[in-house]
Amino acid sequence: MAEDLSSMYQVQGHVKWFDPSKGYGFVVADNGGPDILLHVNVLRNFGQSSVADGARIQVLTHRTDRGVQAVEVISIEPPELEDTPVLSDFAEISQDVLDTTPLEPARVKWFDKGKGFGFANVFGSSEDVFLHVEVLRRSGLSDLQPGEALALRVIDGKRGRMAAEIFAWEAALAEPEA
């Protein structure tokens, strides 16, 4: 069955909800209209396996017999959150310091959304890096899968090395160097 690609259009909006275990969620367009289906495979093509509820998103969509679907993610921005530190470990660290902290390539060792934390391994280091669910949300992600490639800004927290910012690997590759 050939699809009519002339019905494709770009939409800006926000993520209404996304459930990685179900493999889909919905986007609400800024200009109204029906909810837009966002499938996990479309997110994976962008380099992420999840996205935080409320994140700003720009997608390429098309209308099908079953409704409007995202076919490509163009950009994702984390949801707007208050400026207060997520954890006490970050209370003394300014955003300027974080912005100049180098990104470190890592892979998810494990992450349990229900427990609210997990760990990653930085390439070339045997030391684990703690991943907190609130840092994940502030970074625009909602869940992580074992083996998923990430780029982390790591600090020395009260309990050891911990991620202060988490990026999908592909998003970090596109980030201009400071």
Side-chain angles (χ1 to χ4, degrees), residues 21-169:
S21 63
K22 290 182 179 180
Y24 68 92
F26 290 93
V27 172
V28 176
D30 289 345
N31 60 355
D35 288 354
I36 301 161
L37 176 68
L38 177 61
H39 194 271
V40 69
N41 288 337
V42 174
L43 259 182
R44 285 186 184 133
N45 287 340
F46 184 71
Q48 294 184 201
S49 63
S50 70
V51 63
D53 297 351
R56 297 287 307 152
I57 191 166
Q58 188 172 3
V59 292
L60 189 60
T61 67
H62 75 101
R63 187 171 298 279
T64 70
D65 294 339
R66 299 178 70 194
V68 181
Q69 296 183 3
V71 294
E72 181 181 354
V73 174
I74 298 165
S75 67
I76 296 175
E77 295 175 21
E80 297 274 331
L81 300 170
E82 63 274 357
D83 288 337
T84 57
V86 177
L87 304 168
S88 61
D89 298 75
F90 305 133
E92 304 297 318
I93 301 173
S94 73
Q95 188 60 47
D96 291 338
V97 169
L98 275 182
D99 290 343
T100 59
T101 301
L103 291 172
E104 298 187 42
R107 287 216 183 265
V108 176
K109 186 173 181 179
W110 64 268
F111 188 82
D112 186 326
K113 188 175 179 180
K115 291 181 179 178
F117 69 93
F119 291 91
N121 297 117
V122 171
F123 294 130
S125 173
S126 60
E127 197 173 4
D128 287 344
V129 174
F130 180 73
L131 305 171
H132 193 277
V133 70
E134 286 303 318
V135 174
L136 197 66
R137 284 188 193 120
R138 284 182 174 258
S139 299
L141 302 165
S142 65
D143 203 357
L144 297 171
Q145 301 303 312
E148 189 170 346
L150 303 172
L152 307 175
R153 293 197 199 279
V154 179
I155 65 161
D156 289 319
K158 296 174 183 170
R159 297 163 292 236
R161 290 176 42 90
M162 64 186 302
E165 289 183 308
I166 302 169
F167 299 90
W169 181 249

Side-chain angles (χ1 to χ4, degrees), residues 12-25:
Q12 292 185 7
H14 70 275
V15 176
K16 184 176 185 177
W17 62 268
F18 187 84
D19 185 336
S21 63
K22 290 182 179 180
Y24 68 92

